[in-house]
Short mmCIF file of all heavy atoms in Angstrom, two decimals:
data_model
loop_
_atom_site.label_atom_id
_atom_site.label_comp_id
_atom_site.label_asym_id
_atom_site.label_seq_id
_atom_site.Cartn_x
_atom_site.Cartn_y
_atom_site.Cartn_z
N ARG A 54 -20.54 6.46 -9.52
CA ARG A 54 -20.62 5.00 -9.54
C ARG A 54 -20.08 4.39 -8.25
O ARG A 54 -20.61 3.39 -7.75
CB ARG A 54 -19.83 4.45 -10.74
CG ARG A 54 -20.56 4.48 -12.05
CD ARG A 54 -21.83 3.64 -12.02
NE ARG A 54 -22.12 3.04 -13.30
CZ ARG A 54 -23.21 2.39 -13.60
NH1 ARG A 54 -24.17 2.28 -12.69
NH2 ARG A 54 -23.40 1.85 -14.78
N GLU A 57 -22.76 4.58 -5.77
CA GLU A 57 -23.80 3.59 -6.11
C GLU A 57 -23.33 2.19 -5.73
O GLU A 57 -24.10 1.40 -5.15
CB GLU A 57 -24.09 3.66 -7.61
CG GLU A 57 -25.19 2.72 -8.07
CD GLU A 57 -25.45 2.80 -9.56
OE1 GLU A 57 -24.89 3.69 -10.22
OE2 GLU A 57 -26.21 1.94 -10.07
N ILE A 61 -24.99 -0.59 -2.88
CA ILE A 61 -25.41 -1.93 -3.28
C ILE A 61 -24.66 -3.01 -2.51
O ILE A 61 -25.25 -4.01 -2.06
CB ILE A 61 -25.21 -2.14 -4.79
CG1 ILE A 61 -26.14 -1.20 -5.60
CG2 ILE A 61 -25.45 -3.59 -5.19
CD1 ILE A 61 -25.84 -1.18 -7.08
N ARG A 298 -14.13 2.26 -18.46
CA ARG A 298 -15.25 2.38 -19.40
C ARG A 298 -16.40 1.47 -18.96
O ARG A 298 -17.56 1.88 -18.95
CB ARG A 298 -14.79 2.01 -20.82
CG ARG A 298 -13.84 3.03 -21.44
CD ARG A 298 -13.42 2.59 -22.84
NE ARG A 298 -12.49 3.53 -23.43
CZ ARG A 298 -12.85 4.60 -24.13
NH1 ARG A 298 -14.14 4.85 -24.33
NH2 ARG A 298 -11.95 5.41 -24.65
N ALA A 299 -16.06 0.22 -18.61
CA ALA A 299 -17.10 -0.70 -18.16
C ALA A 299 -17.70 -0.24 -16.83
O ALA A 299 -18.91 -0.35 -16.61
CB ALA A 299 -16.52 -2.10 -18.03
N TYR A 300 -16.85 0.30 -15.95
CA TYR A 300 -17.32 0.72 -14.63
C TYR A 300 -18.31 1.87 -14.72
O TYR A 300 -19.26 1.95 -13.92
CB TYR A 300 -16.11 1.12 -13.77
CG TYR A 300 -16.45 1.35 -12.31
CD1 TYR A 300 -16.59 0.27 -11.44
CD2 TYR A 300 -16.64 2.63 -11.81
CE1 TYR A 300 -16.91 0.47 -10.10
CE2 TYR A 300 -16.95 2.84 -10.48
CZ TYR A 300 -17.09 1.75 -9.63
OH TYR A 300 -17.41 1.96 -8.31
N THR A 301 -18.10 2.77 -15.68
CA THR A 301 -18.95 3.95 -15.77
C THR A 301 -20.00 3.87 -16.88
O THR A 301 -20.75 4.83 -17.10
CB THR A 301 -18.10 5.22 -16.00
OG1 THR A 301 -17.32 5.06 -17.20
CG2 THR A 301 -17.17 5.46 -14.82
N ALA A 302 -20.06 2.73 -17.58
CA ALA A 302 -21.02 2.60 -18.68
C ALA A 302 -22.44 2.77 -18.15
O ALA A 302 -22.88 2.01 -17.27
CB ALA A 302 -20.87 1.24 -19.35
N PRO A 303 -23.21 3.73 -18.66
CA PRO A 303 -24.55 4.00 -18.10
C PRO A 303 -25.54 2.88 -18.33
O PRO A 303 -26.49 2.71 -17.55
CB PRO A 303 -24.98 5.28 -18.83
CG PRO A 303 -24.17 5.30 -20.08
CD PRO A 303 -22.86 4.66 -19.74
N ASP A 304 -25.34 2.10 -19.38
CA ASP A 304 -26.30 1.04 -19.70
C ASP A 304 -25.76 -0.36 -19.44
O ASP A 304 -26.45 -1.35 -19.72
CB ASP A 304 -26.71 1.15 -21.18
CG ASP A 304 -27.33 2.50 -21.50
OD1 ASP A 304 -28.08 3.01 -20.65
OD2 ASP A 304 -27.02 3.04 -22.58
N GLY A 305 -24.56 -0.44 -18.89
CA GLY A 305 -23.97 -1.76 -18.67
C GLY A 305 -24.39 -2.35 -17.34
O GLY A 305 -25.00 -1.69 -16.49
N PRO A 306 -24.05 -3.62 -17.11
CA PRO A 306 -24.35 -4.26 -15.82
C PRO A 306 -23.56 -3.60 -14.70
O PRO A 306 -22.43 -3.16 -14.90
CB PRO A 306 -23.92 -5.71 -16.05
CG PRO A 306 -22.90 -5.64 -17.14
CD PRO A 306 -23.32 -4.52 -18.03
N PHE A 307 -24.17 -3.55 -13.53
CA PHE A 307 -23.50 -2.92 -12.39
C PHE A 307 -24.07 -3.48 -11.09
O PHE A 307 -25.28 -3.68 -11.01
CB PHE A 307 -23.68 -1.40 -12.44
CG PHE A 307 -22.73 -0.66 -11.54
CD1 PHE A 307 -21.43 -0.44 -11.92
CD2 PHE A 307 -23.15 -0.23 -10.28
CE1 PHE A 307 -20.54 0.23 -11.09
CE2 PHE A 307 -22.27 0.44 -9.45
CZ PHE A 307 -20.97 0.67 -9.86
N PRO A 308 -23.24 -3.76 -10.08
CA PRO A 308 -21.78 -3.67 -10.07
C PRO A 308 -21.14 -4.68 -11.03
O PRO A 308 -21.77 -5.66 -11.43
CB PRO A 308 -21.41 -3.99 -8.62
CG PRO A 308 -22.67 -3.85 -7.84
CD PRO A 308 -23.77 -4.20 -8.79
N ILE A 309 -19.84 -4.45 -11.30
CA ILE A 309 -19.13 -5.34 -12.23
C ILE A 309 -18.13 -6.24 -11.50
O ILE A 309 -17.27 -6.84 -12.11
CB ILE A 309 -18.41 -4.54 -13.33
CG1 ILE A 309 -17.35 -3.60 -12.72
CG2 ILE A 309 -19.40 -3.75 -14.17
CD1 ILE A 309 -16.45 -2.95 -13.76
N CYS A 310 -18.24 -6.31 -10.16
CA CYS A 310 -17.28 -7.11 -9.40
C CYS A 310 -17.40 -8.60 -9.75
O CYS A 310 -18.49 -9.11 -10.04
CB CYS A 310 -17.47 -6.90 -7.90
SG CYS A 310 -19.10 -7.27 -7.28
#
Side-chain angles (χ1 to χ4, degrees):
R54 278 299 213 188
E57 182 180 352
I61 295 171
R298 290 179 182 272
Y300 190 79
T301 57
D304 301 321
F307 196 80
I309 62 171
C310 57

